[in-house]
Amino acid sequence: EPEVTQTPSHQVTQMGQEVILRCVPISNHLYFYWYRQILGQKVEFLVSFYNNEISEKSEIFDDQFSVERPDGSNFTLKIRSTKLEDSAMYFCASSPRPDGEKLFFGSGTQLSVL
Amino acid sequence: DQQVKQNSPSLSVQEGRISILNCDYTNSMFDYFLWYKKYPAEGPTFLISISSIKDKNEDGRFTVFLNKSAKHLSLHIVPSQPGDSAVYFCAASESGNQFYFGTGTSLTVIP
């Protein structure tokens, strides 16, 4: 069964450093998302992406964050200058439909900012 | 802003019995709802969805009920199996773009 893959599974970085989290969505999906889950808290929406543009973003997704689809397969989340509070599990998701039905999630990247 | 709430952090059920997981929401504009299951070290896995034009959707052992007037939905698992032990999240959306997740309910099915 096709799946969303994320790399790396764990990322440790120093505060202030830039990180790039990578995702390969399911190949025929057109709608892409990033969510995150801080330990012990709920899964939170960050951003949705379609047709090489951001469709919607949450308040969390400030100027430190950016997304890119650099080629036909990868979808990346960049955090320009990481803060301690950015430590979380980051999930990439993709969907074949714009209504978000059956979001397929990757297994996540655990980001630890020291 | 807890737009979606799952007030029971955990639930234990005997194998073969019914598991009922509950979810409440505050935004009356939500029109699409999903349930996800999550195992440790894995991403959430889609289980079942329901749109606001329905009050029930069934898929095998899983049934989701939606009560729009009460802003409440529930997931029923019958019969419960040990492999169902996981964290269950409900999520809600207005028009399907940004989903708001609850905090999850950890289900343990006891053999």
Side-chain angles (χ1 to χ4, degrees):
Chain A
E1 186 173 334
E3 59 181 21
V4 176
T5 56
Q6 288 186 245
T7 55
S9 56
H10 292 86
Q11 174 89 49
V12 181
T13 190
Q14 294 287 330
M15 189 170 60
Q17 295 296 305
E18 174 183 288
V19 294
I20 297 176
L21 309 182
R22 302 182 191 278
C23 170
V24 179
I26 293 172
S27 61
N28 61 344
H29 287 187
L30 300 175
Y31 303 87
F32 312 116
Y33 309 82
W34 283 99
Y35 283 80
R36 79 173 186 190
Q37 185 178 25
I38 295 171
L39 186 64
Q41 299 186 23
K42 60 187 176 181
V43 176
E44 299 174 295
F45 170 81
L46 291 178
V47 66
S48 59
F49 191 85
Y50 168 71
N51 200 26
N52 286 320
E53 288 184 348
I54 290 175
S55 309
E56 192 171 348
K57 60 183 180 179
S58 70
E59 293 176 353
I60 302 167
F61 195 88
D62 61 22
D63 291 344
Q64 295 299 314
F65 291 86
S66 63
V67 289
E68 197 175 35
R69 189 152 161 82
D71 52 43
S73 60
N74 291 285
F75 179 51
T76 62
L77 174 69
K78 182 193 290 186
I79 309 175
R80 203 180 340 274
S81 176
T82 50
K83 303 188 283 285
L84 295 176
E85 54 265 36
D86 294 328
S87 296
M89 178 73 86
Y90 287 79
F91 293 106
C92 172
S94 69
S95 174
R97 298 165 47 141
D99 60 9
E101 178 173 337
K102 296 188 182 179
L103 283 178
F104 288 83
F105 284 85
S107 55
T109 294
Q110 179 64 56
L111 176 65
S112 299
V113 182
L114 306 178
Chain B
D1 63 336
Q2 285 246 248
Q3 298 204 45
V4 177
K5 298 179 188 178
Q6 293 176 257
N7 291 318
S8 298
S10 62
L11 174 69
S12 291
V13 171
Q14 287 285 350
E15 181 179 4
R17 307 291 282 267
I18 184 171
S19 296
I20 300 176
L21 298 104
N22 293 303
C23 180
D24 297 291
Y25 60 96
T26 56
N27 188 343
S28 58
M29 299 301 291
F30 286 151
D31 56 7
Y32 201 74
F33 306 89
L34 307 174
W35 281 96
Y36 284 89
K37 178 168 72 173
K38 186 181 180 304
Y39 295 115
E42 294 184 14
T45 304
F46 170 81
L47 267 181
I48 192 167
S49 64
I50 189 166
S51 72
S52 58
I53 62 172
K54 292 187 172 183
D55 53 20
K56 176 182 173 181
N57 190 24
E58 201 169 343
D59 183 2
R61 295 186 297 115
F62 301 93
T63 303
V64 56
F65 295 92
L66 175 62
N67 183 334
K68 290 185 287 293
S69 59
K71 297 194 187 71
H72 177 85
L73 65 155
S74 60
L75 175 69
H76 293 209
I77 307 173
V78 182
S80 302
Q81 299 172 355
D84 296 329
S85 297
V87 178
Y88 289 78
F89 293 95
C90 67
S93 165
E94 181 183 349
S95 306
N97 201 349
Q98 175 178 349
F99 278 89
Y100 293 86
F101 282 74
T103 50
T105 296
S106 178
L107 173 66
T108 302
V109 180
I110 303 163

